[in-house]
Amino acid sequence: MQLPRLTIPRAAIATGLFVLMCVGLTVFSRLPGIVDIIGWGIVYLLGLTWVVYFVERAAQRIESENAQSQWETSKEGAAGWIPKAWENHSGEPGWNPFDPSALYYQRAKWWLVSLLFLCLVAAESVALMEFVPILFKQVDHNDIVKSVGSAYDALQRSQMWALAGVPFVIILFLLTVRERLRQSLSLLVGYSCLFVVVYLLAHLKIAGSSEGYDLPEGGGKDSIQASSVKVQKIIKKKYVINPYSSVVFSAPPPIDQIELKELTEDSQNRYQVGQGGDGNTGDGDGSGAGFGNGTGKGKVAFIRLKHGDRGWDRNFGIGGDRNMLLEYHLRTKQKVADETEYLDTGLLPNMPALKNPPLLYICGTGSLPLSAIDKKNLKQYLTERHGMILGDNHGGPGFHQHFIAMMNEITGVTPVAIPRDDLIHQRPYALPQLPIVVAHGPPVPLGWKIDGRWAVYYHPGALSDAWRDDHAGIKKDVYESCYQLGVNVMYYSLKEKNKWLQSQKP
């Protein structure tokens, strides 16, 4: 079977479809960081290929016309020379960027090219912040001016090493003899700057919502209420069969001869979330599972913080923390968001004070690199806006030490071991011990208390690994306890936020 021939129209259609798919997934979906980077990297290379193709064709056409004009001039004399659109009437090169002999490709215009290359390095530095990463940590997604200022501030603080290459690039340009190479370098500047602008615009709204988050309206209780199942024995009719009959009757034994499990003993002390009070899990007097200070459009969200560690998005989305969000809904009957989300600290101050997310999930494998602005935003989130952080160690002593140091600095208090009989370990589920998937630190949950409540809960044993589809290969009772702990922490943060919202009312 012969493959279809790749033509220019077919290649253009394929490129356009891929770009639309990549932009659509970026704007309307939640892609892990590495997938997003790879996708946009491919888009950059495809666009660069098309730029090289069209610029080369235009340059060849212009050079051919220039050669034809020079031939006519030499044949007919100066009187027969006809100026082209890219040339002025004196016969000097004009400003057409597709003409290799354009004015700004000359050595005399080194200052203009130097400025263009400076813009290139600065733009590429901002793009590299996705790897460093700094890019969306301080960007105000609703204010373009603040976005540019934050990116510039991040560029100054973390990417000055890239600007050190500017003199080298300028010298390379000045030493370049061929004008075609100068043209290629200059057009690479323009294309890269344009690509970075498109990249920033496509990502302005991906990291969470600046409108804030409401609690789901409703009510309920979190008290444990025992339930029991009464077994009723059904007496079935018995039939008398002639044992000497030629017909063989083969039937299962009567039900009263089957050894049944004592369901009364097995289920008398099992508590199912949602059985408290009128059957709703929540806090308040409203109807349905939820909270008294919630709203009709409010939903429980599971939001993680994006930071500089490469493991910040581990178990993110489908097949990971989305399972936890679904389990919370199934067990509490409260309304939840359709997908899990992530955000950066720069978005927190821009939300209404009463609509900051009740809980932020932070995980990592090696470190927790936070800037001064990040710490300031998180401090405001925890102390002034009654937020809560769930820390999850996925990498060992490195993240353990960094997380504790950062939380000490942000909260201003030192951590303590959270006892087993604390409310956060008892409601809605009573947990006999801390479930651990892989111990990356001492097997003790740590907490930072502010104004009598747990503002930070730290789990040392890869909690979200148990929420994966494969549950990291651990036993059912362990990953079930991990789900229960997740429900408890989420419910604790929501209930504390509901209390705080009530206290803010006049």
Side-chain angles (χ1 to χ4, degrees):
M1 179 179 179
Q2 187 177 2
L3 295 176
R5 182 169 173 266
L6 181 62
T7 60
I8 296 299
R10 290 176 180 175
I13 292 174
T15 301
L17 291 176
F18 182 83
V19 172
L20 289 176
M21 180 187 70
C22 188
V23 173
L25 290 175
T26 299
V27 175
F28 301 107
S29 184
R30 298 289 186 267
L31 296 177
I34 187 63
V35 177
D36 182 72
I37 293 171
I38 293 175
W40 281 91
I42 295 176
V43 170
Y44 176 84
L45 294 177
L46 289 175
L48 183 60
T49 302
W50 282 107
V51 169
V52 171
Y53 172 77
F54 284 113
V55 169
E56 182 65 22
R57 289 193 59 181
Q60 290 179 357
R61 179 180 58 82
I62 292 175
E63 286 182 334
S64 177
E65 292 179 357
N66 284 341
Q68 181 67 23
S69 298
Q70 291 177 0
W71 180 81
E72 292 177 358
T73 301
S74 62
K75 180 179 179 181
E76 300 178 7
W81 173 74
I82 302 175
K84 303 296 181 181
W86 60 87
E87 296 176 333
N88 55 34
H89 291 284
S90 63
E92 295 180 354
W95 293 87
N96 188 346
F98 299 108
D99 183 4
S101 61
L103 187 62
Y104 37 69
Y105 298 141
Q106 309 299 319
R107 288 189 180 181
K109 299 297 180 181
W110 64 269
W111 60 270
L112 178 61
V113 179
S114 301
L115 179 61
L116 291 176
F117 274 104
L118 179 63
C119 294
L120 170 64
V121 176
E124 294 300 329
S125 299
V126 174
L128 286 174
M129 293 175 194
E130 183 68 27
F131 296 91
V132 174
I134 300 293
L135 181 57
F136 299 115
K137 296 173 69 60
Q138 303 163 26
V139 176
D140 182 345
H141 298 267
N142 293 315
D143 192 339
I144 301 298
V145 176
K146 288 185 179 180
S147 298
V148 174
S150 299
Y152 175 73
D153 177 67
L155 174 65
Q156 282 187 318
R157 290 187 291 102
S158 64
Q159 295 295 323
M160 291 303 293
W161 59 269
L163 298 181
V166 173
F168 172 77
V169 175
I170 295 175
I171 294 174
L172 177 64
F173 180 85
L174 295 176
L175 293 179
T176 301
V177 178
R178 296 183 58 83
E179 295 173 342
R180 288 290 293 273
L181 182 55
R182 295 177 187 169
Q183 180 193 39
S184 299
L185 293 175
S186 300
L187 290 177
L188 178 63
V189 172
Y191 169 74
S192 299
C193 292
L194 178 63
F195 178 83
V196 169
V197 171
V198 174
Y199 181 85
L200 291 174
L201 292 176
H203 286 76
L204 286 180
K205 292 294 182 181
I206 190 172
S209 169
S210 61
E211 297 178 357
Y213 301 88
D214 292 321
L215 302 182
E217 67 177 353
K221 298 180 180 179
D222 59 4
S223 60
I224 296 179
Q225 177 176 319
S227 63
S228 61
V229 178
K230 183 179 291 184
V231 179
Q232 293 184 348
K233 189 178 299 183
I234 300 177
I235 302 176
K236 300 183 70 174
K237 295 181 179 180
K238 295 183 179 180
Y239 298 92
V240 178
I241 301 174
N242 182 2
Y244 300 103
S245 173
S246 59
V247 179
V248 177
F249 291 86
S250 179
I255 191 171
D256 56 351
Q257 296 181 13
I258 298 177
E259 205 172 309
L260 297 177
K261 191 174 183 180
E262 294 295 335
L263 293 178
T264 303
E265 290 183 8
D266 185 60
S267 60
Q268 62 181 352
N269 292 321
R270 285 196 175 183
Y271 164 69
Q272 296 295 327
V273 178
Q275 292 174 351
D278 59 356
N280 296 326
T281 303
D283 184 25
D285 299 325
S287 60
F291 300 89
N293 293 288
T295 63
K297 65 177 182 179
K299 294 181 179 181
V300 177
F302 191 92
I303 307 168
R304 69 172 60 209
L305 181 72
K306 180 180 179 181
H307 54 85
D309 185 74
R310 62 182 180 181
W312 75 268
D313 59 349
R314 182 163 179 171
N315 302 326
F316 172 67
I318 298 175
D321 53 21
R322 188 184 182 211
N323 292 342
M324 181 65 250
L325 187 62
L326 177 61
E327 286 290 332
Y328 185 86
H329 166 68
L330 295 176
R331 296 164 188 249
T332 66
K333 307 305 178 185
Q334 296 175 12
K335 293 188 295 184
V336 300
D338 296 331
E339 301 289 344
T340 56
E341 305 175 48
Y342 71 85
L343 55 76
D344 53 78
T345 64
L347 198 59
L348 294 173
N350 302 320
M351 296 181 187
L354 300 180
K355 294 189 176 184
N356 267 209
L359 181 68
L360 280 181
Y361 173 79
I362 302 179
C363 77
T365 57
S367 63
L368 184 59
L370 298 176
S371 67
I373 298 180
D374 293 332
K375 298 173 187 176
K376 177 182 177 182
N377 293 339
L378 287 177
K379 184 177 181 65
Q380 181 191 53
Y381 167 74
L382 293 175
T383 59
E384 300 178 18
R385 302 193 173 188
H386 222 74
M388 182 178 178
I389 289 176
L390 170 59
D392 192 10
N393 189 348
H394 282 266
F399 183 81
H400 177 83
Q401 296 170 2
H402 278 85
F403 184 87
I404 292 178
M406 286 295 176
M407 293 303 109
N408 288 346
E409 182 178 353
I410 291 172
T411 62
V413 297
T414 56
V416 296
I418 303 178
R420 294 181 182 179
D421 59 352
D422 189 88
L423 188 64
I424 200 171
H425 290 153
Q426 297 297 317
R427 297 291 189 274
Y429 288 106
L431 298 172
Q433 61 184 7
L434 182 72
I436 297 290
V437 180
V438 179
H440 294 301
V444 177
L446 299 179
W448 286 256
K449 234 174 189 180
I450 299 178
D451 296 332
R453 68 178 181 91
W454 296 116
V456 181
Y457 185 103
Y458 171 67
H459 187 278
L463 179 64
S464 68
D465 277 352
W467 303 340
R468 294 178 353 205
D469 289 340
D470 61 357
H471 306 298
I474 60 177
K475 296 180 179 180
K476 181 178 180 179
D477 59 339
V478 178
Y479 72 72
E480 171 61 23
S481 295
C482 290
Y483 276 131
Q484 293 179 3
L485 178 58
V487 170
N488 281 18
V489 175
M490 292 175 66
Y491 180 76
Y492 180 89
S493 67
L494 292 163
K495 187 174 181 179
E496 289 294 326
K497 188 63 175 284
N498 185 59
K499 294 178 182 178
W500 181 70
L501 291 175
Q502 183 65 32
S503 68
Q504 299 302 304
K505 291 183 177 181

